[in-house]
Amino acid sequence: MRVTQNIITSNFISYINQNAENLLKTQQQVASQKRINKSSDDPIGMGQVLGYRTKLAVTGQYQKNIEQAMTRIEFNEVTLDLASNLVDMARGLAAEYSGSTQSAAARQSAALQAKDIYNQIMQIANSKFNGNYIFSGHATDTVPFSHVGDFNAGYNGDDGDFRIMVSDNVEVNLVADGRKVFQDAANGGVNIFDELKNLIDGLEDPDPVAGSAQIEATLDVLQDGRDQINNRRSEYALSLYRLQATDEYMTNLRSKMEEAMATLEQADITKAVVELQNLELAYETTIATAARIIQPSLLDFLR
Amino acid sequence: MDIFGVLNMGSKALMVQQKGIYVTGNNIANVNTPGYSRQRLNMSSDVPLNTGIGPVGSGVTANEIERVYQRFLGVQINNETQSLGQREAHKDALERVEVVFNESGGYGLNHVMSEFWNAWQDLTNNPSGPVERTVLVAKSEMLAATFSKSYEDLQKIQRDIDSSIEVSVEEINRLSENMVDLNQKIIQTELGGHTANDYRDQRDLVLKELSELIDIGSFEDANGGVTVSVGSGQVLVEGTRSYKLSTQPDVSGLQDVTWVDSSGNTVTITNDISKGKLKGWLDARDLDIDRHLNNLDTLAHDLMEAVNTVHASGYGLDGSTLNNFFTGAATAAGIEVNPLIANDTNLIAAANGPDKPGDSSNAIAIANLQEAPMMNGNTTTFGAYYDSMVSDAGFAVQQATSYYDHQSQMVLQVENYRESISGVSIDEETVNLIKYQNAYQAAAKLINTADEMMETILSMI
């Protein structure tokens, strides 16, 4: 083949462009530490990376939901612990006054104590978390329990659960219906408020014998009422346990996904640097050889 | 065979060698001229004289200046250049499209969609929370804005392509006129029986430049003029006449390429263009970008519809229901957050009944749409649909780049092949220069000798 200076220069330009382009690509990888800097670097890989990113974002969100729900459960727990203790106190009062040996004055003061307990429990049942009532179902802006008559509590909420999204289409439901905690007579449970009223009535009964009988009758029911509260607490504890387990699982999942994404997306720096060195060498060699080939012509050797 | 014959022979030789130096000089001068084919002086021995001792040579004569050239290579270069133009324009356009789908920084539609769904989940944690509601509206507005920005960016590329097409059509018309001019010069020059070497080189170059822009058919008439046709046989140049190409907007406002006949009637040739930069741009504009625009519209439409259906079935904090969350045209450019909701976040329907501020059922139902297979006949989630669009754009660039790289190698090869036949080699020309110079010196010596011979004779008188 007849070789002219123009063939040499155009080939040289083509090679040097190629080398420079490869060099630039590898430099980009080293600088950004990423193998995939744009979709065309690896279209399938990019699709997978985006899939992981979406998954990571939604998993992060689920963990955020779980974290908030756990705070809510802890708040419920503190609240119901208090309620349970108060019912216990009422039952202690009932046990103490179920014999008719107490004086009228003592029973009067016990009645005051029982009323105080009643009011405290109602206050607890009307607790707010984050500005929302926790025991009024979905009617979180409505006071769950209010006085209908003297020591007669009416429920104003509904039967809605507090729902937490913990995973794709998986929810954990927390009971937010105050009746299921304090007034579950409809389901064969105890209406704690009514029972406390019975106790108060018994203590205030001018006839000590009839009063004592009424007080005695509340003993077992109050016990059941306390159990009712504690049952809810153990349900919450179970949910809490489930949330914690899910949270742990998701933390694991996230680190696995991050690892997989890194393998897919991140550049192998050692490899990239070695490649960069190779490419630099190739680039320099191309330039050096071109410099020697392009320069001379026959003219350099005449005379 | 007399002294004058020698003198005459010497003078002819001087002239011919001088021509040789001239041709060599022209080659050297044009070593870097694009499209230049090296020229060669063809010489032969002159008609011999018949004498008593048989025919005696009468020196040298220059026949013609020949252009070293291979015709089929010119055709091949034009063909490969047409493909190269197409691949290059296609690749460049697709690379710009890919930028619209750039997700590497994590701020594209993928990211914004995640944020949108997460805002719904945040609302499920506190269905009556004003902060959660305000954030949800902000994230939704961001989603709508990102949709329309992507859409507009793609349309912007379409418009840029359109202006490239318009400029190219102007360029084609300029080249056609150029070609007519050259045809005329060649026909005139060649009437005298000699080849118009330099004009032919220039005309070949114009053909190559045309080829880069559009696919052409060309042939040469008997008188040396070239006819060039485009599209489905529309004549662009016919000897010394040229026709014009023009552009005019089609129904969707994008430019069609048209051919204008001598009486000003236009023929649309957009779909008949099969190579050259015009084809690359048209493909990117009418196929690739159009597909992305449609996909974006489908995504925006389906997402809007799915969210609206669930949202309308729920209840706001104020007891309102049957409200759409998104309004505007169900397209990527048209989607927007219902202005009523943007003004009053209480209208966001998180509950599935009135007076249930703590109910997050409807918000959960909407948040669950993220993982629901809603697209492609209920097989693909919204996110995965978009991710595949990003992959698609990347794959198109990858493919176009590999076509382009391959085609540039092809063109380089063919060009090198042409160069190896027609290109000027400085070394070779230097050798020729020395050769002609030596011959010139020798011819001068011949005249000198004849002169001395003449003097000898004259001194005898």
Side-chain angles (χ1 to χ4, degrees):
Chain A
M1 185 169 147
R2 192 171 160 273
V3 177
T4 71
Q5 277 77 11
N6 274 332
I7 296 183
I8 295 172
T9 40
S10 70
N11 274 357
F12 166 62
I13 290 168
S14 160
Y15 293 143
I16 208 78
N17 275 345
Q18 252 172 42
N19 284 341
E21 200 186 329
N22 292 339
L23 205 59
L24 183 75
K25 242 185 186 161
T26 317
Q27 255 169 358
Q28 244 174 11
Q29 286 191 2
V30 173
S32 68
Q33 314 258 311
K34 277 184 177 174
R35 189 176 65 85
I36 305 177
N37 284 299
K38 49 191 189 329
S39 180
S40 56
D41 290 340
D42 179 359
I44 296 172
M46 186 75 196
Q48 288 170 332
V49 167
L50 288 181
Y52 279 129
R53 269 196 210 148
T54 311
K55 266 281 173 248
L56 278 172
V58 72
T59 312
Q61 179 65 38
Y62 287 140
Q63 287 191 295
K64 198 169 153 194
N65 300 349
I66 288 172
E67 197 184 310
Q68 291 196 15
M70 292 205 293
T71 319
R72 160 100 188 228
I73 292 178
E74 275 155 23
F75 183 81
N76 281 8
E77 166 61 22
V78 172
T79 315
L80 292 188
D81 184 41
L82 215 59
S84 160
N85 285 343
L86 285 167
V87 175
D88 231 14
M89 271 173 71
R91 193 185 163 273
L93 216 56
E96 202 181 335
Y97 287 86
S98 56
S100 56
T101 50
Q102 304 284 354
S103 71
R107 283 169 50 204
Q108 256 327 305
S109 111
L112 280 178
Q113 218 180 328
K115 284 177 184 173
D116 197 39
I117 289 173
Y118 182 100
N119 285 332
Q120 277 196 55
I121 290 185
M122 177 164 283
Q123 200 185 333
I124 284 169
N126 289 342
S127 295
K128 272 180 162 182
F129 176 71
N130 235 346
N132 296 316
Y133 292 106
I134 55 176
F135 292 121
S136 59
H138 285 156
T140 48
D141 57 345
T142 312
V143 186
F145 295 99
S146 56
H147 296 284
V148 181
D150 241 7
F151 298 105
N152 186 5
Y155 181 64
N156 310 312
D158 59 27
D159 61 354
D161 284 342
F162 181 72
R163 300 162 72 180
I164 307 132
M165 291 182 75
V166 293
S167 179
D168 300 350
N169 291 310
V170 178
E171 288 162 37
V172 169
N173 291 357
L174 297 182
V175 168
D177 182 349
R179 287 172 301 191
K180 288 192 177 153
V181 186
F182 301 103
Q183 280 190 328
D184 209 19
N187 295 317
V190 179
N191 187 332
I192 292 169
F193 293 115
D194 285 358
E195 213 46 41
L196 285 171
K197 181 166 176 6
N198 283 342
L199 175 63
I200 294 164
D201 286 350
L203 286 168
E204 284 186 332
D205 197 325
D207 176 358
V209 182
S212 173
Q214 194 176 6
I215 293 170
E216 197 166 355
T218 62
L219 265 176
D220 285 349
V221 186
L222 282 174
Q223 172 77 43
D224 289 348
R226 201 198 63 169
D227 289 350
Q228 181 174 304
I229 293 176
N230 286 347
N231 282 344
R232 291 288 98 81
R233 286 172 68 191
S234 47
E235 276 172 28
Y236 290 146
L238 220 59
S239 297
L240 187 72
Y241 174 73
R242 197 175 147 200
L243 291 176
Q244 276 169 341
T246 314
D247 191 38
E248 234 164 77
Y249 163 73
M250 281 180 171
T251 307
N252 272 336
L253 188 70
R254 269 173 56 140
S255 73
K256 287 275 176 296
M257 283 196 292
E258 265 160 10
E259 229 169 81
M261 194 167 90
T263 325
L264 208 60
E265 187 179 36
Q266 309 243 300
D268 181 342
I269 291 301
T270 326
K271 202 178 128 205
V273 169
V274 171
E275 208 176 305
L276 191 68
Q277 281 170 343
N278 282 343
L279 288 170
E280 266 170 9
L281 187 69
Y283 184 72
E284 281 163 19
T285 316
T286 314
I287 293 183
T289 45
R292 293 183 62 169
I293 293 172
I294 286 181
Q295 277 175 351
S297 82
L298 184 59
L299 292 171
D300 296 315
F301 300 95
L302 293 174
R303 246 157 287 185
Chain B
M1 256 182 77
D2 51 12
I3 294 174
F4 287 109
V6 176
L7 203 57
N8 195 28
M9 192 154 60
S11 104
K12 274 199 291 185
L14 260 188
M15 312 250 278
V16 170
Q17 303 312 328
Q18 195 180 328
K19 278 198 185 82
I21 287 175
Y22 195 88
V23 170
T24 308
N26 190 38
N27 283 342
I28 292 174
N30 283 300
V31 63
N32 289 325
T33 307
Y36 179 79
S37 304
R38 69 190 160 108
Q39 296 173 4
R40 187 158 64 190
L41 180 67
N42 282 345
M43 51 185 102
S44 61
S45 51
D46 212 347
V47 185
L49 301 169
N50 280 320
T51 64
I53 56 165
V56 173
S58 66
V60 67
T61 181
N63 298 327
E64 62 157 352
I65 298 172
E66 186 198 10
R67 163 175 175 244
V68 183
Y69 172 74
Q70 242 179 41
R71 190 183 194 93
F72 77 89
L73 259 182
V75 176
Q76 200 181 353
I77 285 180
N78 289 348
N79 284 340
E80 299 301 344
T81 306
Q82 286 169 18
S83 293
L84 182 66
Q86 179 193 353
R87 301 303 184 194
E88 188 183 5
H90 198 213
K91 178 187 85 112
D92 288 351
L94 289 178
E95 276 175 347
R96 291 194 55 194
V97 170
E98 190 188 11
V99 175
V100 177
F101 291 103
N102 182 16
E103 288 279 345
S104 56
Y107 291 101
L109 205 46
N110 172 285
H111 178 75
V112 177
M113 273 204 283
S114 277
E115 297 245 298
F116 169 72
W117 298 118
N118 284 353
W120 278 105
Q121 288 206 26
D122 274 333
L123 185 64
T124 69
N125 291 331
N126 188 11
S128 60
V131 176
E132 283 80 358
R133 285 170 179 260
T134 310
V135 169
L136 171 61
V137 166
K139 298 284 182 194
S140 309
E141 278 169 346
M142 180 82 176
L143 176 68
T146 309
F147 260 122
S148 54
K149 177 159 194 321
S150 302
Y151 195 86
E152 279 159 17
D153 284 350
L154 286 173
Q155 279 187 321
K156 168 97 176 39
I157 300 174
Q158 279 190 324
R159 284 198 299 277
D160 288 353
I161 287 178
D162 260 2
S163 37
S164 298
I165 289 175
E166 284 167 302
V167 170
S168 298
V169 164
E170 287 306 308
E171 178 77 5
I172 289 171
N173 289 337
R174 191 185 62 77
L175 290 171
S176 309
E177 278 162 26
N178 219 335
M179 181 86 90
V180 165
D181 190 38
L182 287 166
N183 269 344
Q184 206 152 21
K185 283 178 178 158
I186 289 168
I187 293 169
Q188 272 173 4
T189 311
E190 296 190 352
L191 273 178
H194 293 297
T195 323
N197 291 330
D198 301 271
Y199 291 141
R200 279 179 176 272
D201 279 345
Q202 285 174 28
R203 191 173 66 185
D204 285 347
L205 195 65
V206 172
L207 270 178
K208 194 188 148 199
E209 283 173 18
L210 262 179
S211 297
E212 203 182 332
L213 296 172
I214 191 169
D215 53 316
I216 53 170
S218 69
F219 64 89
E220 191 178 323
D221 309 335
N223 63 3
V226 156
T227 300
V228 179
S229 59
V230 293
S232 57
Q234 280 77 18
V235 174
L236 198 61
V237 175
E238 191 172 30
T240 54
R241 287 186 61 185
S242 73
Y243 297 86
K244 282 199 180 307
L245 293 188
S246 176
T247 53
Q248 70 189 37
D250 67 5
V251 279
S252 48
L254 299 171
Q255 298 293 341
D256 262 337
V257 181
T258 57
W259 175 78
V260 189
D261 73 8
S262 47
S263 41
N265 301 318
T266 57
V267 180
T268 303
I269 59 166
T270 311
N271 295 329
D272 298 315
I273 297 171
S274 64
K275 274 182 181 173
K277 282 190 170 172
L278 283 180
K279 174 66 173 169
W281 283 322
L282 288 170
D283 275 354
R285 187 191 76 182
D286 298 340
L287 300 177
D288 299 284
I289 299 181
D290 202 54
R291 188 179 67 247
H292 290 310
L293 288 174
N294 284 335
N295 287 345
L296 267 184
D297 271 345
T298 311
L299 181 61
H301 171 269
D302 289 12
L303 182 99
M304 179 168 167
E305 198 141 272
V307 171
N308 278 350
T309 308
V310 181
H311 189 266
S313 71
Y315 291 79
L317 283 180
D318 56 355
S320 62
T321 184
L322 297 177
N323 283 321
N324 279 333
F325 187 76
F326 288 115
T327 51
T331 59
I335 186 170
E336 60 173 8
V337 177
N338 187 344
L340 298 174
I341 290 181
N343 283 333
D344 180 5
T345 55
N346 285 340
L347 291 170
I348 295 173
N352 63 2
D355 302 324
K356 288 178 160 185
D359 183 11
S360 58
S361 308
N362 213 46
I364 290 178
I366 291 176
N368 275 334
L369 289 173
Q370 180 182 13
E371 295 296 326
M374 304 294 289
M375 308 279 302
N376 288 344
N378 295 343
T379 58
T380 312
T381 62
F382 296 117
Y385 184 85
Y386 176 71
D387 294 350
S388 75
M389 283 178 70
V390 177
S391 288
D392 179 20
F395 185 68
V397 171
Q398 207 182 38
Q399 202 177 25
T401 307
S402 95
Y403 278 137
Y404 169 74
D405 288 348
H406 173 72
Q407 196 56 37
S408 353
Q409 283 305 310
M410 288 284 281
V411 169
L412 183 69
Q413 295 257 322
V414 187
E415 293 262 20
N416 277 350
Y417 194 44
R418 181 200 174 275
E419 184 67 26
S420 87
I421 289 168
S422 304
V424 175
S425 159
I426 293 285
D427 290 346
E428 193 180 315
E429 300 304 328
T430 311
V431 171
N432 283 343
L433 201 60
I434 293 166
K435 187 176 80 178
Y436 287 126
Q437 194 183 2
N438 282 342
Y440 186 85
Q441 280 170 352
K445 180 73 183 163
L446 191 63
I447 291 173
N448 207 5
T449 308
D451 182 39
E452 282 170 12
M453 281 162 76
M454 196 76 88
E455 237 170 73
T456 313
I457 296 291
L458 285 174
S459 65
M460 287 164 64
I461 301 170

